[in-house]
Amino acid sequence: MNKPKPPPPKLSNPSNSKKFLELIKNVQPGTCVDVKGEVEFIIRRAKWDGLMYNLKKQYFIHLIGGFYCNMNIIKGVEGILNFTTTVNRKVICVDNKSINRALHLPLHLCELPCEDIYFLFVFNKSEFELMVCIFCNSDMLDGLCDVNCGIHFKHFTSTFQHLALIIRSNVMPKPNQSKYLDFFDMKIMHLLFNNKINFSISYVILLNMINAHLVDYMTYGMLISSLFAICNIPMPEIFANLADSQITNDHFRPQVPLMHCEPQEVTPIVIPQFIREEDVFLSKFESVKAMFNEPKMEFKRVKTENDELKEKVGEL
């Protein structure tokens, strides 16, 4: 029998139906990882096991479509971004802690600083050249790294090819699933390789969710399904999609010499910086108010002329 078509997402704004149609053109559920040796050591040393090995392979396009279409970005304490969204008419709050929990990452990882890496990382030519030389095990080409650009992962050695695929699939996806890595991607990979990630990777993922909402692509399918499970959102098996892609030890290309590199122009990721902090308190969602411990204020109702008239009629 043919599998039934999933219902359309429940949208808080009906005009977002066009947004949903754009989202489903570029669905990226994430990738299962089955690598051994040095790459597995690097991942487990960073305590990123949940990002790679613990994700279920199922995801639900109609639910994830609602997740992205109904997103409401807010600025919380100390300017840290969070968002609320509505899935099947249930409001959920998403922050780095909830993502950390959905990924089954150790508690201490979500206690690291929440940093906007796209603002924190400043392009540096010498640093970019150093990373490219290390990843490609090659001498630098003149002018290649003068500006931020994308370098295809096929120029990397096998270990860094694996790490590049993992970074792109499960940590920092791009709208077109590009296998070109730019300065920001490489810096994350370099810090991971040296076990020097000193900020919340869950917050980096949250920022990329916000970017996916703004640019209209649907990513982190397996992770978001894990988040739905925590929030007790029904996920009917009959509407499940299967993420069947996998990164294994054999999943790499013969290395192409850097001299044949054709760099790709980079489209910068810009995370909103000017969301008013008052938006948190103007939000209509009670869960947001509770999340930021907004005190409830009691207001005394003022009598209107209509109320007084009703009282007089009652006395008569």
Side-chain angles (χ1 to χ4, degrees), residues 245-265:
S245 58
Q246 182 170 274
I247 299 172
T248 69
N249 278 46
D250 297 326
H251 201 118
F252 65 93
R253 295 188 181 188
Q255 185 179 5
V256 176
L258 193 58
M259 68 177 65
H260 300 305
C261 178
E262 297 179 357
Q264 184 184 68
E265 184 177 349

Side-chain angles (χ1 to χ4, degrees), residues 19-289:
K19 186 178 187 69
F20 175 68
L21 294 177
E22 290 299 316
L23 284 164
I24 61 176
K25 292 178 183 177
N26 199 336
V27 180
Q28 301 177 44
T31 306
C32 299
V33 177
D34 182 22
V35 291
K36 307 298 180 184
E38 184 179 13
V39 175
E40 181 183 19
F41 170 77
I42 291 168
I43 293 170
R44 294 195 182 279
R45 182 181 59 182
K47 309 299 182 186
W48 281 18
D49 306 43
L51 265 166
M52 314 301 160
Y53 303 114
N54 299 337
L55 292 173
K56 294 182 179 179
K57 296 182 179 181
Q58 290 184 331
Y59 64 101
F60 301 79
I61 287 181
H62 69 296
L63 296 177
I64 298 170
F67 177 90
Y68 278 112
C69 286
N70 297 329
M71 187 182 294
N72 176 44
I73 307 167
I74 54 180
K75 181 179 286 188
V77 179
E78 297 181 354
I80 295 173
L81 297 182
N82 310 270
F83 62 84
T84 62
T85 188
T86 309
V87 180
N88 273 359
R89 297 192 175 91
K90 182 173 183 178
V91 178
I92 60 176
C93 300
V94 181
D95 61 5
N96 73 307
K97 293 181 180 178
S98 59
I99 292 174
N100 202 83
R101 183 182 173 195
L103 289 170
H104 306 287
L105 296 178
L107 182 61
H108 75 272
L109 292 187
C110 76
E111 294 174 346
L112 293 172
C114 292
E115 298 284 2
D116 178 355
I117 62 167
Y118 302 106
F119 181 78
L120 177 68
F121 294 169
V122 178
F123 176 79
N124 181 286
K125 176 184 174 182
S126 298
E127 187 177 5
F128 195 22
E129 288 179 341
L130 175 63
M131 292 187 295
V132 172
C133 288
I134 293 172
F135 298 159
C136 300
N137 191 25
S138 171
D139 294 332
M140 179 50 55
L141 299 180
D142 290 339
L144 179 62
C145 296
D146 287 351
V147 297
N148 187 19
C149 62
I151 308 293
H152 200 278
F153 87 112
K154 66 185 178 183
H155 300 293
F156 299 167
T157 63
S158 60
T159 294
F160 290 112
Q161 282 193 26
H162 280 109
L163 290 177
L165 290 173
I166 290 169
I167 292 293
R168 176 59 74 245
S169 298
N170 292 1
V171 184
M172 298 175 69
K174 292 285 177 70
N176 56 0
Q177 304 189 52
S178 170
K179 300 301 186 294
Y180 287 82
L181 276 75
D182 63 17
F183 174 80
F184 296 95
D185 302 318
M186 291 193 195
K187 183 147 186 175
I188 287 284
M189 189 162 72
H190 190 253
L191 291 172
L192 171 63
F193 179 74
N194 291 289
N195 197 27
K196 291 185 178 180
I197 299 285
N198 58 358
F199 46 82
S200 170
I201 198 62
S202 298
Y203 190 66
V204 172
I205 290 172
L206 182 142
L207 294 179
N208 279 279
M209 286 180 176
I210 291 174
N211 183 64
H213 162 76
L214 297 173
V215 181
D216 291 344
Y217 66 109
M218 195 185 297
T219 189
Y220 299 117
M222 294 188 292
L223 161 58
I224 293 172
S225 296
S226 180
L227 191 62
F228 291 163
I230 292 173
C231 297
N232 298 313
I233 293 175
M235 292 179 282
E237 188 82 18
I238 197 167
F239 299 132
N241 299 88
L242 185 64
D244 54 2
S245 58
Q246 182 170 274
I247 299 172
T248 69
N249 278 46
D250 297 326
H251 201 118
F252 65 93
R253 295 188 181 188
Q255 185 179 5
V256 176
L258 193 58
M259 68 177 65
H260 300 305
C261 178
E262 297 179 357
Q264 184 184 68
E265 184 177 349
V266 170
T267 301
I269 292 177
V270 180
I271 303 299
Q273 294 288 328
F274 302 105
I275 299 171
R276 293 185 306 165
E277 198 154 343
E278 291 81 5
D279 286 353
V280 174
F281 304 106
L282 294 174
S283 173
K284 62 183 179 181
F285 299 126
E286 290 298 326
S287 51
V288 179
K289 296 177 182 178

